[in-house]
Amino acid sequence: MSIRKRLAVMAVLPLGVALLVSIYIASMDRRLDDNVKELQFVTALAQDVFDLNFLSDQYLIYQERQIKAQWLVKHDAIGNKLADKLQAGQGNDNLWLRLRRTHKDMGHIFTQLSNDLEVRGKFTTTGQLSDRNERLAGVLLIKAREMFSTVVRLAGSKQNELASMRERLNLSVIALFMSLALVISAISAISSRTIITSIARLRRGMDIVAAGSLDHRVERLADDELGHLATTFNGMTERLQSADANMRNSVAALRQEVAERKRAEEKARDLNNKLEESIAALEKEIANHRQTGEELRNKERLLILQSRQAAMGEMIGNIAHQWRQPLNLLALIVQSLPECGEGGELRAEHLKACTEKSMKVIFHMSQTIDDFRNFFMPDKEKVLFRVCDAVSRAVSIIEGSFAGSMIRIDTQSAGDPVINGYLNEFSQVLINILLNARDALVERNVDNPRVTITINTRDGKAVVVIADNAGGIPEEIMEKIFDPYFTTRGPDRGTGVGLFMSKTIIEKNMNGSLTARNVGEGAEFRIEV
Amino acid sequence: MGTSVITTKKIAVILGVVAVIAGGVFVTMVLQGGRSGKVSRSPERLVFAVAALLDSVPVLVAHHQGFFVQQGLDVEIKFYSAGKDALAAVRRGEADFATVADFPIMLAALDGADIRVLATISKSGRENSIVARKDSGITVPAHIRGKVVGVIPGTTSEFFLDEFLVMHGIPRSDIVVVELTPGETVNALLSKRVDAVSTWGQHAADLLKGLGDNSIRFFAQETYQMYWNIVASRNFVAGHRDTVQKVVTALDQANSSIRNNADGAKKTAMEAFRVDPAQLREVWPDYEFDLALDHTLLLTLESQARWAMKQNRTTVREVPNFQEFIYADALRRIKPAAVSVMR
């Protein structure tokens, strides 16, 4: 039962009990009134019996008719009262029965006595009459006394009954109120105990939960507000426990993450250290490489210088080859002048013609020098150039030396492809390949030495194939021919950077390819850009 | 708060334990106190001289239903054929109590007996009667005149016969009185040794049964009502007031039992007196079982004493003060309204 209901019961219970007590008191009061009336009746009857006894005594003394009449009236009055009592359904107990019997006996005895006294002639002897009258008078007095005693007992009985009822009423009221007090006290005590116990359990549960034991639950309490509070508290604790578990899991996850991060940091730190070490090593290596590169660059510069010097030598040779015919022409012109002077043929027109002719030759020679100088100047920007032009330029530069070695150059062109790149570098590559072919042809003293240059286009790319009949490249060195500083000639004739530089120019600077293979009578170099 | 709750609970528990212990001790003391008078001492042995009449049923009920035992009394019942004999046993010291009618008490008092009437246990106006033979010519009371009438001297039989004669105007000299013992009355009338007998109870019933239609019975209930009493010697009463109190209490319980359980009492009476059940049912209403000490008993005794003196049945010339033969304290203590003897 809820606390509210209990309090309501405690509030209503006294009213209910007061109502019951009121009903009970009213009922008892009615019964008391009945008993009081009965007592009053018995008391009045006792007075009548007393009067009858008084009249009996008077009659026995005076034996007068008016007393007899009074006696009979009183006796009848008592008889009527007893009859009324019997009709009312009361007076069936022993005392009332005795009273009626005695009353009846008294009537008979008084009648006999009065008759005896009035009709004296009935008896034969005075002595007998005296005995009978005396006996009847005695019995009458005994009956009168018995009747009075009985009425007194009835009155006493009624008084006792009345007193008993009053006592019972008082005791009942006291008992009812005591019971009420006990019940209320018991309910109060039980309720208080229940509430205090519930509060104590709640308090203990709260203390335990507050101390951190979220798995604690308040014991099941009574089915009242505190029980509901305990249930709510348990639910709240359960949710709190769940939240705490989630938080703990989160914290654990965070801790794990932090640990992992720390480990990652450690690893990163280690990696960093290693990286720093690697960097340091790399820097050291780079430094070494730089140093090596510097050395290499120095060597390259030296090689390039050597190459350039070789090129310059080649160029000078070529210039010399180019210049040989004009110089002979110029010598002839100069030599013709004295002859013309000696022959008198030296005239102004002739002189002017010789001069113009000489100047033309000299201009040609100067042009030759410019061409060579421009050829060896590196390109700065990519330009579109025709492959055939580049091949012609290269051939024009080296044709003098090839001619000197009786090497024939055959140029075959299938199309006129155009390349976006560095013209001079591309021509330099062609010259390097051609010069290597020349050297191989010269060195191997090949009959009918020749070099074939084929120009075509394949898959949108310009293809230049340079093939010779010098017998090919030995297979054992085929893979090394593009390595830097690899040469089959002695240090006095080769630097070993020609093909290396050529591959670098074609593949790195112009995104093309340079390959070599042996075909037929000799080697074949293929340039695709 | 928590401490106060615990303290309150402890106090409540302690108070509860103390209350239980105190209650237990109280109940034990009460029980032991209540039993001390009954159990701790061995039962007091008493001898009850009982006249074999239905008037004595309260004593038999008290004995059979254990009311004497409940009072701590070990009562031995001794039956006598008449109250006069039971009273004589008390006077001889053979019994402590006796059941006896008013008339023998009156004679004993006139004889100077030191006895005390403790209570009247029953009254009856039809216990005594005149049973006569019709073949002796007796059909109305007046026919007794000139007949031989048996009487049991010293008992209510004698007084009743005189009452009967007086009330019907028959001089005693007109009849022949034959003194009989209670046991002789039946045979005397059946054998026609007498024409009528003044007798009581079972003897009258046996005569009616034996004579059948040849019998007639006369009562005098209007003028004579027999008081059946408990009597003890003065010395015994003086020395055993507690015992007397217990006996009176047991008899009061017996009378209550008779009123509440008449069948049980009748069964007791049938077992004790071998009465025919039909006969018992018929006569049972004639008896009024009520423990009392009415002043009418004194009036009756005085009246009988005057008669005895007139009949020269005693040398005493003055009616005794029968109040001195009444011990009302025991009955007054348990039932004051039942005592109407003037003091």
Side-chain angles (χ1 to χ4, degrees):
Chain A
M1 187 186 285
S2 66
I3 295 171
R4 179 183 291 184
K5 285 180 181 172
R6 268 181 261 166
L7 291 174
V9 167
M10 280 194 284
V12 170
L13 196 60
L15 295 175
V17 171
L19 184 64
L20 285 174
V21 169
S22 302
I23 294 169
Y24 178 71
I25 288 174
S27 166
M28 287 295 286
D29 196 47
R30 198 162 55 246
R31 291 174 62 190
L32 279 171
D33 280 347
D34 293 343
N35 270 274
V36 167
K37 286 175 185 172
E38 201 162 344
L39 180 61
Q40 288 170 348
F41 173 82
V42 173
T43 306
L45 191 64
Q47 182 63 46
D48 288 340
V49 170
F50 181 83
D51 293 345
L52 187 67
N53 292 352
F54 175 76
L55 289 170
S56 300
D57 290 341
Q58 254 196 322
Y59 184 76
L60 290 174
I61 294 168
Y62 301 109
Q63 299 170 7
E64 294 172 348
R65 288 180 180 276
Q66 89 281 0
I67 299 175
K68 178 185 176 184
Q70 291 171 10
W71 191 96
L72 291 172
V73 168
K74 179 57 72 178
H75 185 265
D76 287 346
I78 293 171
N80 291 334
K81 283 186 178 178
L82 292 175
D84 291 342
K85 192 75 180 170
L86 188 63
Q87 283 181 350
Q90 298 168 324
N92 287 320
D93 61 15
N94 288 335
L95 291 176
W96 285 104
L97 291 173
R98 184 193 299 174
L99 197 58
R100 275 197 295 276
R101 190 184 65 234
T102 312
H103 173 266
K104 187 180 169 187
D105 291 346
M106 272 190 83
H108 291 157
I109 290 165
F110 184 80
T111 303
Q112 289 183 47
L113 181 62
S114 60
N115 288 341
D116 286 353
L117 291 174
E118 288 170 7
V119 191
R120 292 178 186 272
K122 183 179 174 183
F123 301 100
T124 55
T125 64
T126 307
Q128 279 184 346
L129 180 65
S130 176
D131 284 346
R132 176 182 160 90
N133 287 347
E134 186 184 338
R135 191 69 59 84
L136 285 172
V139 172
L140 184 67
L141 289 175
I142 289 172
K143 294 291 178 184
R145 175 64 200 183
E146 185 177 0
M147 198 166 174
F148 184 73
S149 296
T150 307
V151 172
V152 168
R153 280 189 71 179
L154 271 171
S157 172
K158 285 297 164 192
Q159 278 178 336
N160 288 339
E161 198 174 336
L162 201 60
S164 173
M165 283 181 71
R166 282 183 176 143
E167 191 179 359
R168 201 159 60 242
L169 175 64
N170 292 338
L171 286 174
S172 300
V173 171
I174 290 170
L176 274 169
F177 279 106
M178 284 297 290
S179 302
L180 173 66
L182 279 172
V183 168
I184 290 177
S185 296
I187 292 174
S188 301
I190 292 168
S191 295
S192 302
R193 189 164 176 272
T194 306
I195 291 169
I196 289 170
T197 305
S198 298
I199 289 173
R201 287 179 179 172
L202 268 173
R203 174 75 184 262
R204 192 167 61 250
M206 285 179 179
D207 287 345
I208 292 170
V209 171
S213 295
L214 294 177
D215 53 350
H216 177 78
R217 296 288 178 274
V218 177
E219 308 169 40
R220 182 176 175 77
L221 302 178
D223 186 18
D224 55 13
E225 287 84 346
L226 289 171
H228 181 68
L229 189 61
T231 306
T232 307
F233 179 75
N234 284 339
M236 189 182 74
T237 308
E238 202 165 324
R239 288 193 294 278
L240 197 60
Q241 188 181 22
S242 176
D244 183 66
N246 291 337
M247 194 182 73
R248 285 176 187 277
N249 290 337
S250 301
V251 168
L254 278 172
R255 281 180 179 164
Q256 191 174 356
E257 191 176 336
V258 167
E260 285 177 358
R261 285 190 179 185
K262 277 185 178 176
R263 282 197 295 274
E265 196 176 343
E266 289 290 328
K267 282 183 180 176
R269 197 175 292 118
D270 291 344
L271 281 173
N272 197 27
N273 290 336
K274 287 178 181 175
L275 195 60
E276 283 179 355
E277 288 174 3
S278 299
I279 288 170
L282 199 59
E283 283 177 348
K284 191 175 178 182
E285 193 175 349
I286 288 169
N288 290 335
H289 283 178
R290 276 180 184 166
Q291 188 177 356
T292 309
E294 194 66 29
E295 288 173 357
L296 283 172
R297 274 194 294 278
N298 289 338
K299 283 182 180 177
E300 279 180 1
R301 275 197 296 273
L302 187 58
L303 286 170
I304 290 168
L305 185 60
Q306 287 174 350
S307 174
R308 189 164 290 174
Q309 284 173 347
M312 284 179 67
E314 194 69 31
M315 183 180 71
I316 289 169
N318 284 320
I319 290 170
H321 178 75
Q322 292 295 331
W323 272 18
R324 190 173 307 273
Q325 191 175 356
L327 277 172
N328 287 335
L329 185 58
L330 197 54
L332 286 172
I333 293 168
V334 171
Q335 285 173 0
S336 66
L337 282 173
E339 289 175 358
C340 286
E342 288 172 359
E345 295 172 6
L346 189 53
R347 292 182 296 266
E349 291 85 9
H350 183 65
L351 189 56
K352 186 180 176 181
C354 285
T355 303
E356 286 178 356
K357 196 174 178 179
S358 296
M359 285 307 293
K360 194 175 177 178
V361 172
I362 291 169
F363 179 76
H364 175 72
M365 290 174 71
S366 177
Q367 186 63 42
T368 302
I369 290 168
D370 286 341
D371 287 345
F372 276 96
R373 190 185 62 187
N374 289 337
F375 180 78
F376 284 102
M377 285 180 69
D379 296 322
K380 292 184 179 176
E381 292 181 354
K382 285 185 175 179
V383 294
L384 286 170
F385 62 90
R386 296 173 61 228
V387 177
C388 291
D389 292 347
V391 171
S392 299
R393 283 185 67 186
V395 169
S396 69
I397 288 171
I398 51 103
E399 65 182 355
S401 65
F402 271 65
S405 302
M406 301 303 281
I407 300 170
R408 194 180 70 194
I409 298 173
D410 294 330
T411 301
Q412 300 171 1
S413 176
D416 188 12
V418 175
I419 292 173
N420 183 24
Y422 304 100
L423 176 59
N424 287 343
E425 274 79 353
F426 189 77
S427 299
Q428 182 69 46
V429 170
L430 294 174
I431 290 169
N432 284 340
I433 295 169
L434 289 170
L435 288 175
N436 280 340
R438 183 202 66 185
D439 290 343
L441 290 167
V442 171
E443 185 180 331
R444 294 178 184 173
N445 197 19
V446 175
D447 292 336
N448 298 317
R450 71 171 183 276
V451 172
T452 304
I453 300 172
T454 306
I455 300 167
N456 57 23
T457 303
R458 177 173 293 176
D459 298 332
K461 289 184 176 179
V463 179
V464 177
V465 178
I466 300 168
D468 61 45
N469 59 346
I473 303 167
E475 287 299 327
E476 61 271 16
I477 64 167
M478 179 63 81
E479 291 182 355
K480 299 179 181 176
I481 58 172
F482 293 109
D483 290 347
Y485 309 115
F486 180 80
T487 180
T488 58
R489 292 167 293 189
D492 55 332
R493 292 198 55 192
T495 60
V497 297
L499 284 177
F500 169 71
M501 286 181 64
S502 297
K503 192 168 182 76
T504 300
I505 288 167
I506 295 301
E507 293 186 354
K508 292 189 176 176
N509 293 351
M510 299 178 71
N511 293 325
S513 67
L514 171 60
T515 58
R517 64 171 182 169
N518 291 321
V519 293
E521 297 174 331
E524 180 187 276
F525 285 86
R526 183 182 182 90
I527 300 169
E528 291 184 12
V529 177
Chain B
M1 183 66 182
T3 309
S4 66
V5 170
I6 293 167
T7 308
T8 306
K9 191 182 283 185
K10 279 183 178 175
I11 290 170
V13 169
I14 291 167
L15 285 175
V17 170
V18 169
V20 168
I21 292 170
V25 169
F26 177 75
V27 169
T28 306
M29 286 175 68
V30 167
L31 289 175
Q32 286 185 344
R35 288 170 186 163
S36 60
K38 302 173 184 175
V39 176
S40 61
R41 291 186 300 199
S42 58
E44 189 174 356
R45 282 190 58 81
L46 296 173
V47 176
F48 223 120
V50 175
L53 279 81
L54 285 176
D55 307 80
S56 300
V57 163
V59 178
L60 304 181
V61 169
H63 185 250
H64 289 164
Q65 296 193 11
F67 298 128
F68 286 138
V69 174
Q70 285 178 17
Q71 295 295 324
L73 303 174
D74 179 13
V75 174
E76 179 189 357
I77 302 290
K78 281 187 176 178
F79 286 107
Y80 293 86
S81 58
K84 179 187 73 172
D85 299 330
L87 177 60
V90 168
R91 292 184 69 184
R92 288 195 302 271
E94 295 172 0
D96 301 306
F97 298 92
T99 60
V100 61
D102 41 55
F103 189 76
I105 293 172
M106 179 275 296
L107 290 178
L110 292 177
D111 193 35
D114 256 353
I115 56 170
R116 288 291 188 102
V117 179
L118 308 178
T120 300
I121 59 173
S122 67
K123 287 190 283 186
S124 175
R126 293 167 69 86
E127 177 66 58
N128 291 89
S129 61
I130 304 289
V131 181
R133 296 178 66 100
K134 286 183 179 175
D135 60 1
S136 294
I138 302 171
T139 54
V140 296
H143 294 162
I144 292 293
R145 194 185 300 265
K147 297 296 188 298
V148 178
V149 180
V151 71
I152 307 164
T155 70
T156 53
S157 164
E158 189 179 1
F159 182 73
F160 180 82
L161 175 60
D162 190 72
E163 187 89 358
F164 180 82
L165 293 174
V166 169
M167 289 302 149
H168 291 91
I170 303 170
R172 192 179 178 90
S173 56
D174 284 0
I175 62 168
V176 178
V177 174
V178 176
E179 292 187 351
L180 301 169
T181 62
E184 291 174 340
T185 54
V186 177
N187 287 332
L189 187 61
L190 289 177
S191 63
K192 215 175 179 181
R193 181 182 159 203
V194 295
D195 299 309
V197 290
S198 173
T199 186
W200 58 75
Q202 189 58 39
H203 304 307
D206 291 343
L207 284 172
L208 293 174
K209 191 176 178 182
L211 292 173
D213 292 339
N214 192 28
S215 64
I216 188 163
R217 193 177 190 189
F218 304 114
F219 292 100
Q221 65 200 55
E222 289 178 359
T223 55
Y224 177 62
Q225 180 166 255
M226 188 184 76
Y227 292 78
W228 196 255
N229 312 286
I230 303 297
V231 175
S233 70
R234 185 187 300 271
N235 288 335
F236 183 86
V237 172
H240 301 82
R241 292 185 186 277
D242 287 346
T243 305
V244 170
Q245 183 69 59
K246 290 172 186 174
V247 168
V248 171
T249 303
L251 291 172
D252 185 47
Q253 289 173 334
N255 269 342
S256 298
S257 174
I258 292 168
R259 283 194 296 273
N260 297 326
N261 181 22
D263 289 342
K266 288 175 188 172
K267 188 179 177 186
T268 302
M270 282 189 291
E271 289 173 356
F273 305 131
R274 297 173 189 169
V275 187
D276 179 60
Q279 179 201 339
L280 185 62
R281 271 197 306 276
E282 186 184 341
V283 301
W284 190 263
D286 296 343
Y287 299 90
E288 182 184 339
F289 297 104
D290 182 29
L291 204 68
L293 269 177
D294 202 299
H295 192 74
T296 52
L297 172 63
L298 265 69
L299 296 179
T300 301
L301 292 172
E302 287 170 357
S303 174
Q304 290 172 348
R306 285 186 204 104
W307 173 85
M309 285 186 290
K310 193 175 282 184
Q311 296 293 323
N312 293 320
R313 295 295 303 275
T314 177
T315 56
V316 176
R317 294 294 92 192
E318 190 176 349
V319 175
N321 181 5
F322 285 102
Q323 281 186 332
E324 294 175 358
F325 293 86
I326 303 294
Y327 177 73
D329 290 352
L331 182 58
R332 188 179 286 117
R333 202 167 289 134
I334 61 168
K335 206 174 176 184
V339 179
S340 64
V341 175
M342 287 188 287
R343 288 188 292 179

